[in-house]
Amino acid sequence: MPDDLAAALTRRLAATAPTQASAQVDRLIEHYRGATPTAAPVLRDAADAAAYAAYRMPATYAAARSALAALHARTAGWTPATHLDLGGGTGAARWAVGDVWPGADGPAGTVLDWSAAALDLGRALAADSATPSVRTTTWTRAPLSGAPALPAADLVTVSYVLGELTPGDRAALVEAAAAATRPGGVALVAEPGTPDGYARIIGARDRLVAAGFTVLAPCPHSGPCPVTGTDWCHFAARVHRSALHRQVKGGTLPYEDEKFSYVAAARPAGPGDSAEASGSAGSAEVTGSAAVPAANRVVRHPQTRKGQVLLDLCAAAGDLTRTTVSKRQGPLYREARDARWGDPWPPDQPPAGPGPATDSADPR
């Protein structure tokens, strides 16, 4: 988590006693662990929003930052001109976008949510950001249920919100997000890395592919997911806990690992679409030849044996494979020893611009 976000959370939530926040957190935990969607915002008032920001915003930020870093690695320097964050609440994904694409020319953003309390806190936190594009974010209250009419954007994120909606509203929101993604742009959906969260991601992935999108990450293909049965595809991001975070969670460790599932998919640009028409003047078109999925993706903890490394991969052919990299393979073996769960394989060359998230969990 960037220093300015950590400082903003501490400063804005200083008046919230940990015991008071913990009581609100208990109610939120019961909701998020439940299986009953809602027709109203989960964050009902300022106390709920503060509790959520203290308890969940650091982990939601870490998951979004890791997913966006994987997308960035696949798009060879593409910079979206505009960003729409659906169900963004207090703005975790907005901060993550500002970290991946920093500077004065970072994506102009809009956070759309149905909780006024979450938007109010998000606006206050963003005012303390060191990133100009985060400070100038537009915060808009609007319903997420039904089939909302959305402004078009180059990058559309739907982060940790589908679980709050009914199945019908989930489908409608993903379809609306797809329609709002400009030609040549990207839609990214992230959910908790649980079996239910993964099922929601698969539903969103299926809808995006049916709409003509090309999956860029994490999958190396746009075909059916080969992970079936009782297994599910997910990854992990390391969350460094602040003193406030530890107090609210009642924990002592200085970190935790947030498990998440996600999909990032590009909407193809038609013959009449140009970078200027899509609002991305001056940036590479994401659906050009430079935007390609990884050849393979490491989907389990690499297993290190004497003189060899075993890698479980999701392959471009659409199946799950295991490859063994031995010490005899020299440089590739050294790369395999450094490989982490969620990495592309073979490793990418470092992208121009922001690299992978530095807070990714090391599973070894």
Side-chain angles (χ1 to χ4, degrees):
M1 187 165 60
D3 291 342
D4 51 348
L5 176 54
L9 282 169
T10 299
R11 186 161 48 249
R12 298 289 175 178
L13 304 178
T16 303
T19 52
Q20 178 185 351
S22 295
Q24 300 297 127
V25 163
D26 289 341
R27 187 190 71 80
L28 296 178
I29 290 174
E30 287 303 313
H31 171 82
Y32 285 118
R33 287 179 177 172
T36 304
T38 179
V42 174
L43 305 183
R44 302 172 302 189
D45 53 31
D48 278 354
Y52 173 85
Y55 182 77
R56 285 297 299 158
M57 192 174 176
T60 306
Y61 166 86
R65 177 64 176 82
S66 292
L68 288 163
L71 168 64
H72 183 273
R74 305 266 50 88
T75 53
W78 171 73
T79 298
T82 51
H83 169 220
L84 174 64
D85 186 21
L86 300 178
T90 55
R94 186 73 193 118
W95 283 80
V97 166
D99 195 33
V100 174
W101 291 283
D105 59 347
T110 296
V111 175
L112 188 152
D113 199 275
W114 55 356
S115 169
L119 292 168
D120 288 343
L121 179 56
R123 186 182 296 108
L125 292 170
D128 294 337
S129 175
T131 304
S133 62
V134 175
R135 288 198 305 273
T136 57
T137 297
T138 299
W139 303 82
T140 302
R141 187 181 185 189
L144 299 176
S145 56
L150 304 174
D154 299 319
L155 173 64
V156 180
T157 54
V158 185
S159 181
Y160 280 59
V161 71
L162 295 183
E164 300 178 21
L165 305 175
T166 65
D169 284 341
R170 289 173 200 161
L173 186 62
V174 171
E175 290 172 358
T181 305
R182 285 194 171 109
V186 174
L188 186 149
V189 185
E191 284 288 300
T194 63
D196 287 343
Y198 166 68
R200 292 190 290 270
I201 289 297
I202 287 297
R205 183 184 187 276
D206 289 346
R207 290 186 180 279
L208 292 173
V209 170
F213 283 58
T214 299
V215 177
L216 294 179
C219 322
H221 60 86
S222 297
C225 179
V227 180
T228 58
T230 58
D231 202 358
W232 69 98
C233 183
H234 63 288
F235 305 96
R238 177 61 50 89
V239 183
H240 297 283
R241 290 172 167 172
S242 66
L244 173 66
H245 198 195
R246 291 197 300 272
Q247 283 180 309
V248 171
K249 300 201 78 167
T252 56
L253 287 176
Y255 66 88
E256 63 184 64
D257 291 336
E258 172 68 10
K259 306 294 177 59
F260 66 99
S261 297
Y262 76 100
V263 61
R267 180 178 179 179
D273 297 317
S274 65
E276 288 78 9
S278 72
S280 299
S283 63
E285 192 165 275
V286 73
T287 50
S289 59
V292 293
N296 305 278
R297 181 76 60 179
V298 180
V299 293
R300 297 208 185 289
H301 301 285
Q303 300 179 47
T304 303
R305 303 283 189 266
K306 185 176 181 180
Q308 59 182 212
V309 179
L310 279 60
L311 298 175
D312 290 302
L313 306 172
C314 182
D319 57 349
L320 297 175
T321 65
R322 171 173 286 186
T323 188
T324 300
V325 184
S326 72
K327 196 171 184 178
R328 293 193 301 272
Q329 293 173 269
L332 192 64
Y333 173 71
R334 290 191 289 274
E335 297 274 16
R337 285 180 59 88
D338 290 336
R340 297 181 178 185
W341 174 25
D343 283 353
W345 183 261
D348 293 321
Q349 294 299 313
T358 56
D359 58 352
S360 294
D362 185 346
R364 290 170 294 160

